[in-house]
Amino acid sequence: MESARTRGGALLLMVAVVVVALNQRPAVVGVAPVLGALRADTGLSSALAGLLTSLPVLCFGAFAPVAPRVARRVGLETAVAASLVLLVAGTALRLLSPVAVLYAGTVVAGGAIAVANVLVPAYVKREFARPGLPMGLYSAALNVGAALAAGLTVPVGAALGLDWRGALAVWGALAVLGLAVWLPVAGTGRDDRGAPAAPGGSWGLLRHATARQATIYLGLQSIQFYGLSAWLPTLLADEGLPVEAGGALLAVATVAGAVGAFVAPTLAGALQQRHRGQRSLVAAVVAGYLVGLAGLLLAPTTGTVVWVVLFGVAQGGGFALGLTLVVLRSATPLTAARLGGVAQCLGYLFAALGPVVLGALHDLTGGWSWSLGLLLALLVPLAWSGWGAARDVVLPEPSRA
């Protein structure tokens, strides 16, 4: 626990967590700025191109329940390190020409990220007695990594003379850096101080309304993020803005998201210390989404930066709050890993529909009004589920099946 570490040791561990978090979004978000070049090169439809951004999210869901079982076998530290190795491999596969291999590399990278998605918050729960600040740094780093991918994928590729495949593969270097930082700090030894056991009773958590609401909230929140992130540059280009401007505005949204991602868990932890729920934070997230999405729908080229910043703060704060609620509603790291696996499995599988459905609606209607209208309508169940998950309760440890 935090008390057993020196102040310097705890700081180094936070740095390691942040560097790992930086790697958990570029493989997904980096595709959006190159979708135009990708479609021109491969001839993929909007729906199939959107699948490249939703496929990792499917992997986040499919592999999430496996993560606690892997960690039980090899330890949390080693499981996270292995996820970085697989991320490098998946990123490298994208260099190969066949379209099928492009999708295969995306699956490998998505599976790798899924492991870290579940286990890093559980690791934070285990190592820090007050997880609010570490979760804030972790969540902010997720958004910073996404911002780097959104804003730098095209410029870096152009500067290095790379096509869209090479531009995506560059992010493998960040994963190598993450591995180099993680191994010396976290180690590779199996640690029995609460490492997640096989999730025999994980699905039993869904008997509790709070667990169901946390799962629904995470899924609906992720639809907002992955759906609009996949198509925002294209949406703005269709409204007359340059493609480069669309990628830059996506980067602005993710940078703004980093602010929300840091603030929301930090405030959530402070509220938890005072035995208060996090409903006020849920209300703020929904309000930010409402204004940002409505602005993009009604006046996409007027005040665009304002709408994008509001959406970014909402998505960063909302997603980070969802991860933090999993940690705060759990009594132990084991429960956090189990609830995280279940919530991310169902939530991400649901969220993976976002880019595909939004792309299909665009193909059917020839515009983006219906897609944005759908995202606005989904704010109603998002608010309901978040309101329930933000209650000041703690889930019991599930019994083994």
Side-chain angles (χ1 to χ4, degrees):
M1 298 295 292
E2 187 178 21
S3 59
R5 293 181 178 271
T6 65
R7 186 182 299 270
L11 179 61
L12 286 175
L13 181 57
M14 283 192 192
V15 171
V17 167
V18 165
V19 176
V20 171
L22 288 174
N23 281 281
Q24 291 178 240
R25 293 300 176 264
V28 181
V29 177
V31 175
V34 300
L35 269 181
L38 185 155
R39 290 184 62 197
D41 184 32
T42 61
L44 293 176
S45 66
S46 295
L48 287 177
L51 183 60
L52 283 172
T53 58
S54 62
L55 190 56
V57 187
L58 284 169
C59 293
F60 293 174
F63 290 98
V66 178
R69 194 180 299 273
V70 173
R72 177 61 175 177
R73 286 181 176 272
V74 301
L76 275 169
E77 298 87 349
T78 304
V80 173
S83 75
L84 292 169
V85 173
L86 286 174
L87 182 57
V88 173
T91 303
L93 282 174
R94 288 175 161 180
L95 286 168
L96 303 179
S97 296
V99 173
V101 178
L102 173 63
Y103 283 93
T106 300
V107 169
V108 173
I113 296 170
V115 173
N117 279 343
V118 173
L119 297 184
V120 174
Y123 191 72
V124 169
K125 173 77 172 178
R126 192 187 76 183
E127 296 295 327
F128 295 94
R130 296 184 177 181
L133 176 60
M135 282 300 298
L137 292 171
Y138 167 76
S139 302
L142 292 177
N143 283 77
V144 170
L148 291 174
L152 297 181
T153 297
V154 172
V156 168
L160 297 177
L162 302 173
D163 63 5
W164 62 267
R165 292 180 185 275
L168 290 177
V170 164
W171 296 106
L174 184 61
V176 173
L177 174 63
L179 189 64
V181 174
W182 178 261
L183 289 177
V185 175
T188 59
R190 181 170 173 174
D191 194 329
D192 60 1
R193 293 179 300 155
S202 295
W203 297 100
L205 286 168
L206 293 180
R207 290 195 297 266
H208 301 276
T210 300
R212 294 194 300 271
Q213 290 161 339
T215 299
I216 294 169
Y217 175 82
L218 188 60
L220 292 173
Q221 206 307 126
S222 296
I223 282 181
Q224 300 285 341
F225 172 63
Y226 290 106
L228 194 60
S229 294
W231 293 113
L232 181 62
T234 305
L235 183 156
L236 296 175
D238 288 350
E239 294 294 336
L241 294 179
V243 174
E244 295 80 5
L249 285 167
L250 179 58
V252 168
T254 49
V255 169
V259 176
F262 174 75
V263 171
T266 304
L267 292 178
L271 290 170
Q272 187 75 4
Q273 290 295 317
R274 296 197 294 269
H275 301 287
R276 297 173 58 185
Q278 293 77 34
R279 286 177 166 175
S280 59
L281 298 178
V282 172
V285 165
V286 173
Y289 271 133
L290 179 62
V291 178
L293 288 170
L296 288 173
L297 175 63
L298 300 175
T301 59
T302 303
T304 308
V305 173
V306 175
W307 314 139
V308 166
V309 167
L310 285 172
F311 177 85
V313 172
Q315 68 83 15
F319 181 72
L321 181 60
L323 294 179
T324 305
L325 289 176
V326 168
V327 171
L328 296 179
R329 298 290 85 86
S330 303
T332 66
L334 170 58
T335 304
R338 285 173 161 173
L339 179 57
V342 169
Q344 292 189 40
C345 175
L346 297 180
Y348 279 132
L349 289 176
F350 186 44
L353 296 173
V356 177
V357 171
L358 296 186
L361 281 174
H362 171 265
D363 288 346
L364 287 172
T365 64
W368 294 102
S369 295
W370 281 92
S371 299
L372 290 172
L374 176 61
L375 292 179
L376 282 166
L378 290 176
L379 293 179
V380 175
L382 176 71
W384 167 81
S385 58
W387 198 257
R391 291 176 299 163
D392 183 23
V393 298
V394 176
L395 291 169
E397 184 68 20
S399 60
R400 287 185 175 274

